[in-house]
Amino acid sequence: MKIAVLIKQVPDPNALRFDPRLGDLVPGIQPVANEYDLYALEAALRLREQVGGEVVVASVGPARDALNRGLAMGADRAVAIEGEGVPGDSWVTATVLAAWLRREQVDVIWCGQETSDSGTGNVGPTVAALLDVPLVSNVVGWEFRDGLFEIEREIEDGHQFQEVAPPVVLCALSALPQPRLPTLRGIMDARRKPQERLSPADLGLDPEALDPLVRWEGLSQPVAKAAGIVLQDVPPDEAVEQLLAFLESRGLLT
Ligand SMILES: Cc1cc2nc3c(=O)[nH]c(=O)nc-3n(C[C@H](O)[C@H](O)[C@H](O)COP(=O)(O)OP(=O)(O)OC[C@H]3O[C@@H](n4cnc5c(N)ncnc54)[C@H](O)[C@@H]3O)c2cc1C
């Protein structure tokens, strides 16, 4: 079985800091693999252990650290798609990934439910639509038996069970088994595993046609809410006075 895992490299969500002077994130934040994508990769590695075959990790945009992590965890090879036209918006990213997946003829596509930076959740569903294959989102459990996946997915007020045959796109949540940590042996082996660099043009795409449908205008930080007051164990008369003073200080009393 050929299993593809879509991995995005994101700035470490625990180290994110916004610089209002730049109007952007503070540069130089350690890049990491998107968390849900590591759960997707763990699922792919377990599927390969069960049915055999190959696991390929792929990324659009700069992703050396994330792809190396994937190889060190046990993926067989990695593909980085970079160059003119990418990353664009989530439609462009999905279009480029779909072109690569069509060329690879994969049986199963694992991806994360969403990323920790842009987090649109669009890429998985758009890839499935472009490849005209089914998609199962919010995956929290799975079994593969007799050529069929039995999937457990999270819904609003419980879990739903679905059955689906490959080819399929499966979007992972972090309720799946914990991603394995790369071993020293895994990190060493990763250096010898094949890493392919492709451009959208190599996939038969015209970079000119990869025009993002959504353009980023800029980033801003939510306005910090003014601190409120807590009136506790205060005699009622005094509480009323303090409340009136508070409302007045904010121009809320006419
Ligand atoms: C320099 C730069 C410029 C950008 N300009 C724009 C812009 O103008 N307009 C705009 O809308 N966005 C822009 N983006 C954001 C970029 O388009 C999105 O981050 C990207 O398309 C993925 O969307 P997402 O993070 O919402 O993915 P989601 O849909 O939340 O991701 C779901 C899953 O899809 C897979 N996936 C997502 N992205 C990738 C990837 N790159 N490689 C492999 N797998 C992936 C992962 O498994 C992930 O868990 C820009 C990003 C960069 C770095």
Side-chain angles (χ1 to χ4, degrees):
M1 182 178 277
K2 190 185 271 192
I3 311 159
V5 183
L6 311 182
I7 293 196
K8 187 182 178 194
Q9 182 157 290
V10 296
D12 182 352
N14 304 315
L16 286 180
R17 277 186 307 116
F18 183 76
D19 184 332
R21 283 163 309 143
L22 292 175
D24 203 343
L25 294 176
V26 172
I29 297 170
Q30 172 66 34
V32 294
N34 184 52
E35 192 194 359
Y36 285 154
D37 306 352
L38 295 177
Y39 285 88
L41 176 54
E42 179 60 34
L45 295 172
R46 288 175 183 229
L47 181 59
R48 182 191 65 190
E49 282 153 13
Q50 183 189 336
V51 298
E54 182 191 33
V55 172
V56 196
V57 285
S59 194
V60 174
R64 200 197 52 199
D65 298 78
L67 293 176
N68 280 340
R69 174 73 187 266
L71 292 172
M73 280 174 67
D76 300 290
R77 64 186 168 93
V79 176
I81 307 167
E82 295 185 67
E84 206 193 335
V86 293
D89 62 3
S90 53
W91 176 77
V92 169
T93 302
T95 301
V96 171
L97 286 167
W100 173 71
L101 289 159
R102 233 176 259 117
R103 190 178 97 144
E104 285 279 344
Q105 308 250 307
V106 302
D107 301 299
V108 177
I109 302 151
W110 278 99
C111 68
Q113 181 62 34
E114 61 181 36
T115 63
S116 58
D117 58 352
S118 312
T120 61
N122 290 344
V123 172
T126 311
V127 164
L130 291 169
L131 295 176
D132 196 19
V133 299
L135 170 122
V136 185
S137 61
N138 292 348
V139 177
V140 293
W142 61 276
E143 280 185 18
F144 187 71
R145 233 198 315 261
D146 309 325
L148 279 178
F149 280 103
E150 283 168 21
I151 304 282
E152 184 181 353
R153 59 184 298 269
E154 194 173 275
I155 55 174
E156 189 68 29
D157 44 12
H159 287 190
Q160 186 184 50
F161 295 85
Q162 297 187 339
E163 205 173 67
V164 63
V168 61
V169 176
L170 301 170
C171 304
L173 284 178
S174 55
L176 285 170
Q178 193 73 25
R180 65 197 66 186
L181 288 175
T183 59
L184 188 57
R185 178 66 194 268
I187 295 166
M188 308 287 281
D189 289 351
R191 295 192 190 138
R192 286 190 294 276
K193 291 179 178 174
Q195 297 211 29
E196 193 181 4
R197 275 192 197 297
L198 294 170
S199 69
D202 294 332
L203 298 167
L205 295 168
D206 170 5
E208 301 285 313
L210 293 174
D211 219 9
L213 304 175
V214 179
R215 285 188 194 287
W216 272 3
E217 292 291 314
L219 274 182
S220 67
Q221 208 169 16
V223 179
K225 280 207 185 81
I229 58 170
V230 178
L231 297 172
Q232 205 162 21
D233 308 327
V234 181
D237 296 358
E238 211 182 306
V240 170
E241 258 177 50
Q242 286 189 28
L243 185 58
L244 289 175
F246 174 81
L247 294 173
E248 197 159 26
S249 70
R250 279 156 182 73
L252 298 170
L253 283 184
T254 53

